[in-house]
Amino acid sequence: MKKLFCLMLCLLLFLVACSNGNKDSDSKENKGNKTYTTDDGSKVKIPKNPKRVLVLTANYGNFKKLGVKPIAVTSVFPNSKYLDMSKVKKIDPENVEAAAKLKPDLIITYKENKNNKKFAKIAPTVPIKVQDMDYKETHIEMGKLVNKEAKAQKQANKLSEKLAKDGEEIKKEIGNDKTFSIMDVQAKDIYQFGPRFGRGSEAIYEGFNLKEDPKAKQAMPKEKFMKVPKEKFNTYSGDYLLLPTKDGKKPNNDFVKSNTWKNNKAVQEGNVIYYSMNEAIYADLISVEKQAELFKEELLKHK
């Protein structure tokens, strides 16, 4: 009996030691730095598992989807009901002093930010280039930064598959040849947006795989947005016209009262969709999915 007791005690101590060894191993594995390669080939040493991420880009929704809470985000972009941003701390994306006070261990900025070298003295700083990646690739890259690449890949694939199926359903109802234009119709100016420029373009063009108006596509510069002369409005407007506005309703200005607007094909056929700019400006997985739900409902309603 005494021998059996001693044997069991030894076994218990062995299991505890193994458990502690695994914890120590995991702890060491989760600490330290790793090298991240930016889109231009630059190497940045970042924490393997950052705990205080400062997001000075429009990617808050990517981190929210991954279960990561940034210590603060940029103040440049509006609140979105899709992202529930009301309680998130915001700072000026060029305010180095404000960033330093937050003591981040990883900073994410746009490549165009003039203070990136100063941010890099505070914490490892990763600059990203707008439009170099689609919404899926962007999410996966954000996942890499916080050691959640596999989760990000799974989430991106799941949404991509869902939107592709929804796109087929939409095309089956409205036709494969229908074209789409995304425009911001202001009092004095009109702007048009191509793929990878927010405003719902990721859901429409990349998610649903719907077609751009061919003449607008041909005229669109590499930046994927352009100012449209009023006399070209109907030339660049597709079968469906998508208008992000401040309140998600039809603009109240002289242009929408003009003959140019009234003679527009999409306007005459009731194929104009209005939606809120605050939600449409983002292109993270949460926002793209919500935008897609709205567009699908409206497009099938307009069939």
Side-chain angles (χ1 to χ4, degrees):
M1 187 70 179
K2 188 175 180 181
K3 288 183 179 180
L4 180 61
F5 175 76
C6 290
L7 182 63
M8 291 178 66
L9 181 60
C10 290
L11 180 61
L12 178 61
L13 291 172
F14 175 75
L15 290 174
V16 170
C18 287
S19 175
N20 288 336
N22 287 337
K23 286 180 182 178
D24 290 341
S25 176
D26 290 343
S27 179
K28 289 178 182 177
E29 195 173 307
N30 288 331
K31 289 181 179 179
N33 296 324
K34 66 179 180 181
T35 300
Y36 178 83
T37 305
T38 64
D39 58 354
D40 65 358
S42 300
K43 307 287 185 181
V44 183
K45 280 192 175 181
I46 66 172
K48 286 184 179 178
N49 290 277
K51 302 298 182 185
R52 297 183 62 79
V53 184
L54 175 57
V55 182
L56 301 180
T57 63
N59 298 101
Y60 168 70
N62 297 102
F63 294 99
K64 182 180 176 74
K65 182 74 174 178
L66 290 166
V68 175
K69 185 178 180 180
I71 54 173
V73 299
T74 174
S75 60
V76 169
F77 297 98
N79 288 333
S80 164
K81 65 182 180 183
Y82 294 157
L83 300 175
D84 187 20
M85 306 169 72
S86 58
K87 296 181 181 179
V88 182
K89 184 176 180 60
K90 295 185 172 114
I91 67 168
D92 185 321
E94 294 184 351
N95 191 328
V96 178
E97 185 179 349
K101 286 181 179 179
L102 293 170
K103 298 181 179 179
D105 58 4
L106 178 63
I107 302 174
I108 298 161
T109 74
Y110 285 125
K111 189 175 289 186
E112 296 81 2
N113 193 315
K114 66 181 183 180
N115 288 328
N116 282 345
K117 289 183 179 179
K118 294 179 181 179
F119 287 129
K121 293 179 180 179
I122 299 170
T125 298
V126 176
I128 62 174
K129 177 70 176 176
V130 178
Q131 299 171 319
D132 277 356
M133 300 173 284
D134 64 24
Y135 76 96
K136 303 181 295 297
E137 293 166 337
T138 298
H139 190 63
I140 294 166
E141 286 304 308
M142 296 303 113
K144 288 180 183 178
L145 291 171
V146 292
N147 202 21
K148 293 181 181 290
E149 182 179 358
K151 183 176 183 179
Q153 180 79 63
K154 185 176 180 180
Q155 290 174 337
N157 288 343
K158 183 177 180 180
L159 180 58
S160 179
E161 290 169 6
K162 178 180 185 297
L163 297 192
K165 289 180 182 178
D166 288 345
E168 290 303 314
E169 183 181 347
I170 290 167
K171 285 181 277 190
K172 185 177 179 181
E173 292 294 335
I174 70 173
N176 285 312
D177 58 342
K178 299 300 182 183
T179 59
F180 291 76
S181 295
I182 301 175
M183 293 187 179
D184 181 4
V185 178
Q186 300 178 7
K188 294 182 179 180
D189 299 313
I190 300 170
Y191 294 93
Q192 187 155 359
F193 309 101
R196 299 188 187 180
F197 208 89
R199 281 76 177 178
S201 62
E202 287 78 11
I204 291 293
Y205 299 129
E206 295 180 334
F208 293 155
N209 196 27
L210 299 173
K211 296 178 181 178
E212 293 178 72
D213 176 81
K215 291 181 180 178
K217 183 177 181 179
Q218 186 175 13
M220 187 71 69
K222 65 179 181 179
E223 291 80 12
K224 297 301 180 186
F225 83 98
M226 64 182 179
K227 186 175 180 179
V228 177
K230 290 180 180 178
E231 61 271 17
K232 288 283 189 179
F233 174 72
N234 288 334
T235 302
Y236 294 155
S237 176
D239 297 306
Y240 286 82
L241 185 58
L242 277 61
L243 263 68
T245 65
K246 187 175 180 180
D247 58 3
K249 299 178 182 178
K250 180 180 177 180
N252 182 21
N253 57 49
D254 289 340
F255 182 73
V256 297
K257 299 172 185 175
S258 70
N259 287 331
T260 303
W261 172 268
K262 292 175 183 177
N263 291 330
N264 180 272
K265 180 182 177 183
V267 172
Q268 291 179 340
E269 295 183 358
N271 290 334
V272 183
I273 298 175
Y274 306 101
Y275 51 104
S276 171
M277 175 71 80
N278 283 5
E279 281 67 52
I281 203 167
Y282 296 98
D284 56 86
L285 258 62
I286 296 172
S287 299
V288 171
E289 182 171 19
K290 292 294 185 180
Q291 293 160 15
E293 289 173 0
L294 183 151
F295 292 146
K296 180 182 177 182
E297 180 181 350
E298 290 296 319
L299 288 170
L300 296 183
K301 187 190 299 183
H302 285 74
K303 66 181 179 176

Coordinates of all heavy atoms in Angstrom, one line a residue, residues 170-181 204-205 209-214 238-240 265 269 271 299 302-303:
I170 N -28.1 37.3 -56.8 CA -28.5 38.6 -57.3 C -28.5 38.7 -58.8 O -29.5 39.1 -59.5 CB -27.5 39.7 -56.7 CG1 -27.8 39.9 -55.2 CG2 -27.7 41.0 -57.5 CD1 -26.7 40.7 -54.5
K171 N -27.4 38.1 -59.4 CA -27.3 38.1 -60.9 C -28.4 37.3 -61.5 O -28.9 37.6 -62.6 CB -25.9 37.7 -61.3 CG -24.9 38.7 -61.1 CD -23.5 38.3 -61.5 CE -22.8 37.5 -60.5 NZ -21.4 37.2 -60.8
K172 N -28.8 36.2 -60.8 CA -29.9 35.4 -61.4 C -31.2 36.1 -61.4 O -32.0 35.9 -62.3 CB -30.0 34.1 -60.5 CG -31.0 33.1 -61.0 CD -31.1 31.9 -60.0 CE -32.1 30.9 -60.5 NZ -32.2 29.7 -59.6
E173 N -31.4 37.0 -60.5 CA -32.6 37.8 -60.5 C -32.6 39.0 -61.4 O -33.6 39.3 -62.0 CB -32.9 38.2 -59.0 CG -33.2 37.1 -58.1 CD -34.6 36.4 -58.4 OE1 -35.4 37.1 -59.0 OE2 -34.7 35.2 -58.0
I174 N -31.5 39.8 -61.4 CA -31.5 41.0 -62.1 C -30.8 40.9 -63.5 O -30.9 41.8 -64.3 CB -30.8 42.1 -61.3 CG1 -29.3 41.9 -61.2 CG2 -31.4 42.3 -60.0 CD1 -28.5 43.0 -60.6
G175 N -30.0 39.8 -63.7 CA -29.3 39.6 -65.0 C -27.8 39.8 -64.8 O -27.4 40.6 -64.0
N176 N -27.1 39.0 -65.6 CA -25.6 39.0 -65.5 C -25.0 40.2 -66.1 O -23.8 40.6 -65.8 CB -25.0 37.8 -66.2 CG -25.2 36.5 -65.5 OD1 -25.0 36.4 -64.3 ND2 -25.7 35.5 -66.1
D177 N -25.7 40.9 -67.0 CA -25.1 42.0 -67.7 C -25.3 43.4 -67.1 O -24.8 44.4 -67.6 CB -25.6 42.0 -69.1 CG -27.1 42.2 -69.2 OD1 -27.8 41.9 -68.2 OD2 -27.6 42.6 -70.3
K178 N -25.9 43.5 -65.9 CA -26.2 44.8 -65.3 C -24.9 45.4 -64.8 O -24.1 44.7 -64.3 CB -27.2 44.6 -64.2 CG -28.6 44.1 -64.6 CD -29.2 45.0 -65.7 CE -30.6 44.4 -66.1 NZ -31.3 45.2 -67.1
T179 N -24.9 46.7 -64.9 CA -23.7 47.5 -64.5 C -24.0 48.4 -63.3 O -25.2 48.8 -63.1 CB -23.1 48.3 -65.7 OG1 -24.1 49.2 -66.1 CG2 -22.7 47.4 -66.8
F180 N -23.0 48.7 -62.6 CA -23.1 49.5 -61.3 C -22.1 50.6 -61.3 O -21.0 50.5 -61.7 CB -22.9 48.6 -60.1 CG -24.0 47.5 -60.0 CD1 -24.0 46.4 -60.8 CD2 -25.0 47.7 -59.0 CE1 -25.0 45.5 -60.7 CE2 -26.0 46.7 -58.9 CZ -26.0 45.6 -59.7
S181 N -22.6 51.7 -60.7 CA -21.8 52.9 -60.5 C -22.0 53.4 -59.0 O -23.1 53.4 -58.6 CB -22.1 54.0 -61.5 OG -21.8 53.6 -62.8
I204 N -19.8 45.2 -53.5 CA -20.4 45.2 -54.9 C -19.5 44.6 -55.9 O -19.9 43.6 -56.6 CB -20.8 46.6 -55.4 CG1 -21.9 47.2 -54.5 CG2 -21.1 46.7 -56.9 CD1 -23.3 46.5 -54.8
Y205 N -18.3 45.1 -56.0 CA -17.4 44.6 -57.1 C -16.6 43.4 -56.8 O -16.4 42.5 -57.6 CB -16.4 45.8 -57.5 CG -17.1 47.0 -58.0 CD1 -16.9 48.2 -57.5 CD2 -18.1 46.9 -59.0 CE1 -17.5 49.4 -57.9 CE2 -18.7 48.0 -59.5 CZ -18.4 49.3 -59.0 OH -19.1 50.4 -59.4
N209 N -19.1 40.4 -57.2 CA -18.5 40.3 -58.5 C -19.5 40.9 -59.6 O -19.7 40.3 -60.7 CB -18.2 38.8 -58.9 CG -17.3 38.7 -60.1 OD1 -16.5 39.6 -60.3 ND2 -17.4 37.6 -60.8
L210 N -20.1 42.0 -59.2 CA -20.9 42.7 -60.2 C -20.1 43.7 -61.0 O -18.9 44.0 -60.7 CB -22.0 43.5 -59.4 CG -22.9 42.6 -58.6 CD1 -23.9 43.5 -57.7 CD2 -23.8 41.7 -59.5
K211 N -20.6 44.1 -62.1 CA -19.8 44.8 -63.1 C -19.8 46.3 -62.9 O -20.9 46.9 -62.6 CB -20.3 44.5 -64.5 CG -20.1 43.1 -65.0 CD -20.7 42.8 -66.3 CE -20.6 41.4 -66.8 NZ -21.2 41.1 -68.1
E212 N -18.7 47.0 -63.2 CA -18.6 48.4 -63.2 C -19.2 48.9 -64.6 O -19.2 48.1 -65.5 CB -17.2 48.9 -63.2 CG -16.4 48.7 -61.9 CD -15.0 49.1 -62.0 OE1 -14.8 50.4 -62.0 OE2 -14.1 48.3 -62.0
D213 N -19.7 50.1 -64.6 CA -20.0 50.7 -65.9 C -18.8 50.7 -66.7 O -17.7 51.2 -66.3 CB -20.6 52.1 -65.7 CG -20.9 52.8 -67.0 OD1 -21.9 52.5 -67.5 OD2 -20.0 53.6 -67.4
P214 N -18.8 50.2 -67.9 CA -17.6 50.1 -68.8 C -16.9 51.4 -69.1 O -15.7 51.5 -69.1 CB -18.1 49.3 -70.0 CG -19.5 49.5 -70.0 CD -20.0 49.6 -68.6
G238 N -24.2 53.5 -64.4 CA -24.6 52.2 -64.9 C -26.1 52.0 -64.8 O -26.9 52.9 -64.5
D239 N -26.5 50.7 -64.9 CA -27.9 50.4 -64.8 C -28.4 50.6 -63.4 O -29.6 50.9 -63.2 CB -28.1 48.9 -65.2 CG -27.7 48.6 -66.6 OD1 -28.2 49.3 -67.5 OD2 -26.9 47.7 -66.8
Y240 N -27.5 50.4 -62.4 CA -27.8 50.7 -61.0 C -26.9 51.8 -60.5 O -25.7 51.8 -60.8 CB -27.6 49.4 -60.2 CG -28.7 48.4 -60.4 CD1 -28.7 47.6 -61.5 CD2 -29.8 48.3 -59.5 CE1 -29.7 46.6 -61.7 CE2 -30.8 47.4 -59.7 CZ -30.8 46.6 -60.8 OH -31.8 45.7 -61.1
K265 N -31.0 56.9 -66.5 CA -31.6 55.6 -66.7 C -32.0 55.0 -65.4 O -33.1 54.5 -65.2 CB -30.8 54.7 -67.6 CG -31.4 53.3 -67.8 CD -30.5 52.4 -68.6 CE -31.0 51.0 -68.8 NZ -30.1 50.1 -69.5
E269 N -35.7 54.2 -63.8 CA -36.2 52.8 -63.6 C -36.2 52.5 -62.1 O -36.6 51.4 -61.7 CB -35.2 51.9 -64.3 CG -35.3 52.0 -65.8 CD -34.5 51.0 -66.6 OE1 -33.8 50.2 -65.9 OE2 -34.5 51.0 -67.8
N271 N -33.8 52.4 -60.0 CA -32.6 51.6 -59.6 C -31.5 52.4 -58.9 O -30.4 52.3 -59.2 CB -32.1 50.8 -60.8 CG -33.0 49.8 -61.3 OD1 -33.8 49.2 -60.5 ND2 -32.9 49.4 -62.6
L299 N -31.3 45.3 -53.9 CA -31.2 44.9 -55.3 C -32.3 43.9 -55.6 O -32.9 43.9 -56.7 CB -29.8 44.3 -55.6 CG -28.7 45.3 -55.6 CD1 -27.3 44.6 -55.7 CD2 -28.8 46.2 -56.8
H302 N -35.4 45.8 -56.0 CA -35.5 46.5 -57.2 C -35.5 45.7 -58.5 O -35.4 46.2 -59.6 CB -34.3 47.5 -57.3 CG -34.4 48.7 -56.4 ND1 -34.2 48.5 -55.0 CD2 -34.6 50.0 -56.6 CE1 -34.3 49.7 -54.5 NE2 -34.6 50.6 -55.4
K303 N -35.6 44.4 -58.3 CA -35.5 43.5 -59.5 C -36.7 43.8 -60.5 O -37.8 44.2 -60.1 CB -35.5 42.0 -59.1 CG -36.8 41.5 -58.4 CD -36.7 40.1 -58.1 CE -37.9 39.6 -57.4 NZ -37.9 38.2 -57.1

